[in-house]
């Protein structure tokens, strides 16, 4: 059986086909671009406040999500601890405080409030100070931990700055408020 191929034999045929394809291509590009634009503009930051929603804090980059299948890519040495406790997924985003200190905020969604409490207990530090935030909270030098229902939240500042402890508390309260609104 001989296969036939379509060939355009004359410049006139090529030109008429190209003229017919151009409007179709243009429409496809416009529709695709509009779809991309609407998806980008409606992207939610989930539990994370946007830049300037919390005084002194600017969101840096995109929010990332990791599941049990790829958690090791984010927290290689501690992934097993989370999955054993009842981990579902984590959302994480980076911040900068007063344009001087970088920080990372993680919101771990666990299967139950008890699972969130297990991880909180395991990551707690005896040198930390209790804090009224969520169900349980503590703050130590540069680290804020708390639970809210089945969420375990960890905010870590990488450096020191005047007001960083107060800044961590303020950011933590804003995250808790968003978590409370999402339930």
């Amino acid at each position: 059986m001989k296969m036939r191929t379509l060939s355009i034999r004359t410049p006139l045929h090529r030109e008429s086909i190209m003229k017919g394809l151009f409007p179709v291509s243009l429409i496809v590009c416009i529709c695709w671009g509009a779809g991309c634009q609407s998806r980008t503009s409606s992207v939610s930051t989930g539990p994370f406040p946007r830049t300037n929603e919390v005084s002194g804090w600017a969101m840096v980059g995109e929010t990332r999500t990791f599941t049990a299948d790829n958690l090791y890519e984010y927290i290689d040495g501690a992934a097993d601890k989370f999955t054993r406790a009842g981990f579902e997924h984590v959302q994480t985003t980076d911040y900068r405080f007063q344009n001087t200190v970088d920080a990372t905020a993680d919101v771990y969604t666990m299967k139950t409030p008890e699972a969130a409490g297990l991880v909180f207990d395991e990551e707690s530090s005896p040198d930390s100070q209790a804090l009224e935030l969520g169900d349980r909270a503590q703050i130590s030098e540069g680290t804020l931990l708390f639970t809210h229902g089945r969420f375990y939240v960890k905010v870590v500042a990488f450096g020191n700055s005047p007001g960083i402890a107060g800044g961590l508390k303020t950011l933590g309260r804003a995250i808790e408020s968003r978590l409370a609104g999402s339930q």
Side-chain angles (χ1 to χ4, degrees):
M1 177 191 268
K2 188 173 182 182
M3 294 187 64
R4 295 180 140 193
T5 59
L6 176 65
S7 67
I8 300 172
R9 297 174 196 251
T10 66
L12 182 59
H13 286 99
R14 265 186 250 135
E15 186 177 302
S16 63
I17 288 174
M18 294 309 283
K19 282 183 181 179
L21 288 177
F22 180 74
V24 172
S25 299
L26 184 60
I27 290 169
V28 168
C29 287
I30 290 169
C31 291
W32 181 77
C36 288
Q37 186 177 13
S38 66
R39 270 184 263 134
T40 304
S41 63
S42 66
V43 168
S44 169
T45 59
F48 303 111
R50 292 181 185 275
T51 297
N52 297 324
E53 282 185 31
V54 178
S55 181
W57 290 98
M59 187 182 266
V60 180
E62 299 288 323
T63 297
R64 299 165 314 277
T65 301
F66 297 89
T67 64
D69 293 333
N70 66 350
L71 182 61
Y72 69 91
E73 294 174 11
Y74 182 57
I75 53 168
D76 190 18
D80 286 343
K81 168 178 63 179
F82 283 87
T83 54
R84 278 194 313 269
F87 169 81
E88 288 185 357
H89 67 272
V90 63
Q91 291 178 285
T92 181
T93 198
D94 297 323
Y95 283 96
R96 185 160 293 125
F97 180 65
Q98 296 180 342
N99 214 23
T100 59
V101 176
D102 291 328
T104 298
D106 299 332
V107 175
Y108 292 86
T109 302
M110 307 299 287
K111 290 182 180 174
T112 64
E114 294 77 22
L118 283 172
V119 176
F120 177 89
D121 289 341
E122 202 166 319
E123 294 208 327
S124 294
S125 166
D127 299 331
S128 64
Q129 174 187 357
L131 189 64
E132 284 194 36
L133 179 65
D135 301 323
R136 303 164 42 175
Q138 69 175 26
I139 190 165
S140 60
E141 190 174 326
T143 302
L144 169 70
L145 307 176
F146 72 91
T147 64
H148 179 87
R150 65 189 193 121
F151 301 105
Y152 168 67
V153 180
K154 182 176 187 176
V155 184
V156 178
F158 304 104
N160 205 354
S161 167
I164 191 67
L168 287 171
K169 292 174 190 176
T170 304
L171 181 59
R173 285 187 182 95
I175 292 170
E176 184 203 17
S177 174
R178 285 172 159 249
L179 290 173
S182 71
Q183 292 182 335

